[in-house]
Amino acid sequence: MTAANAIKWSPNERGGMAKVLIADDHAVVRAGLRQLLSEDRAVSEVGEAATGQQTLDRLRENHWELLILDIGMPDRSGLDILRHVRSGFPDTRILVLSGYPERQYAINVLRMGAHGYLGKEGAPEELTNAVHAILAGRRYVSPTMSELLISEIDGGGDGKPIHLQLSEREFQIFCKLAAGSAVSEIARELCLSVKTVSTYRSRVLEKMNFKTNADITSYALRNGLIQ
């Protein structure tokens, strides 16, 4: 193997092969990703987790260079897992792979600390490129995402989704409210006081010019933020 090939297939900054954990509740998706990653010489080990709790358990049991994370986990939000990983496992890099629209989620997910965002409809080659870029210490964005980021820097442009003005925590609570969670439930899940969550809810309503949780849910459904 030439030096050039060694660099190509060993993107881990420390020169070693990477351990990658796949967190997705669909067995077919995990199987497809495992097959793709097992053929990649940059990857030494592939693990799987089907729930948020399993994901956190696997992270505690072993060191993973990369977590490929779905947003729609069955027991807890992928956004919650993302925040937990960023605070508790800072050496693990995160690629969010989701069926939710890139335009609606990607910027917020990157703000929350993810190192890349891809839609599940993307080509296998794009996933491979994203994995290599992130393991090499870079962030990965698709051409569509690049345009969104440029628009964000330039002030948004026409048609900018209004939820992009929400802070990281506001967006996290917005998604839970949109899914029908009560303030008390959100407070318990996030280890916050009910008063604090109520304050965030008020900020979300004010920033988005909404009056009720029903307005939040309606907006989220129209924009593909929940299913």
Side-chain angles (χ1 to χ4, degrees):
M1 180 181 294
T2 66
N5 284 335
I7 293 173
K8 178 179 179 182
W9 291 109
S10 300
N12 192 339
E13 288 179 335
R14 290 168 294 185
M17 311 306 276
K19 296 180 179 180
V20 180
L21 178 62
I22 303 166
D24 194 293
D25 61 326
H26 293 96
V28 172
V29 173
R30 295 198 307 274
L33 291 174
R34 173 179 282 277
Q35 177 64 31
L36 180 65
L37 292 169
S38 67
E39 298 172 357
D40 192 329
R41 284 172 281 172
V43 178
S44 62
E45 182 178 338
V46 180
E48 296 183 25
T51 67
Q53 188 57 54
Q54 285 182 12
T55 302
L56 297 177
D57 289 343
R58 295 301 305 273
L59 287 167
R60 295 187 188 100
E61 294 165 0
N62 200 352
H63 173 73
W64 303 90
E65 278 77 23
L66 176 64
L67 169 64
I68 299 179
L69 176 65
D70 183 22
I71 290 177
M73 302 295 279
D75 54 340
R76 59 193 301 175
S77 166
L79 299 180
D80 295 350
I81 299 170
L82 172 58
R83 284 181 61 94
H84 192 100
V85 174
R86 294 303 301 140
S87 62
F89 306 92
D91 292 334
T92 298
R93 303 181 71 81
I94 305 165
L95 170 62
V96 172
L97 184 67
S98 175
Y100 288 106
E102 188 175 42
R103 174 175 172 79
Q104 304 298 350
Y105 259 102
I107 289 178
N108 292 91
V109 166
L110 292 173
R111 283 175 178 166
M112 295 180 74
H115 301 90
Y117 185 101
L118 281 179
K120 288 185 176 179
E121 73 281 358
E125 294 80 7
E126 187 173 15
L127 175 66
T128 299
N129 291 338
V131 167
H132 287 186
I134 293 172
L135 289 176
R138 303 188 300 272
R139 289 200 175 195
Y140 182 86
V141 294
S142 69
T144 300
M145 184 62 207
S146 296
E147 293 179 7
L148 287 175
L149 290 172
I150 292 172
S151 175
E152 179 79 357
I153 293 170
D154 291 341
D158 296 333
K160 174 183 174 181
I162 60 175
H163 69 272
L164 293 184
Q165 65 188 299
L166 300 177
S167 71
E168 173 187 327
R169 180 66 89 177
E170 288 166 353
F171 182 68
Q172 185 183 25
I173 290 175
F174 161 86
C175 290
K176 291 181 178 296
L177 292 169
S181 296
V183 168
S184 58
E185 181 182 355
I186 297 171
R188 183 172 62 255
E189 290 177 356
L190 301 182
C191 298
L192 299 173
S193 69
V194 171
K195 181 178 180 181
T196 297
V197 175
S198 295
T199 297
Y200 278 116
R201 174 183 176 275
S202 297
R203 290 178 186 172
V204 169
L205 291 173
E206 181 179 358
K207 285 186 175 183
M208 302 187 74
N209 197 27
F210 292 159
K211 295 185 180 301
T212 67
N213 288 6
D215 294 329
I216 293 175
T217 300
S218 177
Y219 174 90
L221 287 169
R222 291 197 311 271
N223 288 275
L225 292 165
I226 60 173
Q227 296 176 345

